[in-house]
Amino acid sequence: LVLLSNGLTISDQLIAVSVVHGVHWSISVDPGRTVGKNDQPTYPRVLANIRKILDAEGSVSAQFTVSTLNAERASEVYEELCELRVPCHFSLFRPQTVEQLGQVEVEPIIQGMTRVYAQAYNRIQQNQYSGSLTSFDYLTIGGPRSETCGAGKTYVVLDSEGNLYSCHESIRKEGGPPNIFQTEENVFDL
């Protein structure tokens, strides 16, 4: 069982339950994300919660979606997660609207990921933990799509209040969680 989280509100009690039941944490990290009226950065808090999971001998990995907005910090995130020995999956931001497609600048993403791959090869040569990087050569890049992942179909997200969401991004959107049972196919039908 995998628990997908944005890593912001993880209680000691939830960590303890996850350790007892062998639940793996999958934490979405974004060093550019902010919350609240004062735009407080979330990344330090997310790293602190990853450390709490590790200190409790829990199982954790991270996902970093590389975009124009955060590509310059990709190598920093990679290095910090490697130092913690936390596997991290780097993926490319997939525009879901024409507006988002217009905001993508390819060059910063290429530069950011080039630095990450250079660090990985350097770590491998020095026999240091290098995490796990996914090659992007299999990736099909197309235009905006209405459906880009298995949200609500192959996985769901449980927040700290016990509410189910179809996607971790849905938690931040207005109007509350979407009803994950509105589609014919969802994780509970498997």
Side-chain angles (χ1 to χ4, degrees):
L1 184 59
V2 177
L3 182 59
L4 178 64
S5 172
N6 64 11
L8 289 177
T9 54
I10 300 176
S11 70
D12 292 338
Q13 182 182 12
L14 190 53
I15 292 172
V17 168
S18 72
V19 170
V20 167
H21 294 285
V23 175
H24 176 83
W25 289 85
S26 177
I27 308 287
S28 177
V29 296
D30 183 350
R33 183 171 285 164
T34 60
V35 293
K37 295 177 185 174
N38 297 328
D39 285 331
Q40 293 295 311
T42 62
Y43 187 59
R45 197 156 120 200
V46 171
L47 276 180
N49 282 329
I50 287 173
R51 285 184 182 98
K52 280 176 37 177
I53 294 167
L54 293 170
D55 289 346
E57 298 184 11
S59 174
V60 63
S61 62
Q63 284 72 45
F64 183 98
T65 301
V66 182
S67 72
T68 303
L69 302 174
N70 63 21
E72 68 185 28
R73 294 189 63 193
S75 60
E76 168 193 341
V77 171
Y78 173 74
E79 195 63 34
E80 288 173 326
L81 292 171
C82 281
E83 289 301 317
L84 293 173
R85 302 187 68 77
V86 172
C88 186
H89 174 78
F90 285 78
S91 60
L92 296 176
F93 172 73
R94 296 173 292 189
Q96 296 180 28
T97 66
V98 173
E99 180 184 351
Q100 287 177 342
L101 185 61
Q103 296 171 355
V104 174
E105 295 176 30
V106 176
E107 196 57 37
I109 294 171
I110 291 171
Q111 292 172 2
M113 287 311 300
T114 299
R115 286 190 298 272
V116 169
Y117 277 103
Q119 284 173 274
Y121 285 113
N122 186 44
R123 284 180 153 278
I124 291 167
Q125 289 172 343
Q126 295 179 22
N127 203 26
Q128 295 176 333
Y129 179 82
S130 60
S132 58
L133 289 177
T134 303
S135 170
F136 292 120
D137 57 2
Y138 71 90
L139 187 64
T140 301
I141 299 176
R145 298 181 292 244
S146 62
E147 197 172 293
T148 59
C149 66
K153 293 185 178 183
T154 59
Y155 71 87
V156 293
V157 180
L158 178 68
D159 73 6
S160 61
E161 305 285 319
N163 298 309
L164 283 177
Y165 294 83
S166 61
C167 172
H168 69 283
E169 290 294 325
S170 302
I171 295 172
R172 295 185 294 144
K173 294 181 180 167
E174 298 290 329
N179 184 341
I180 61 171
F181 301 102
Q182 287 178 340
T183 62
E184 289 184 23
E185 291 181 57
N186 67 51
V187 71
F188 301 105
D189 292 333
L190 298 176

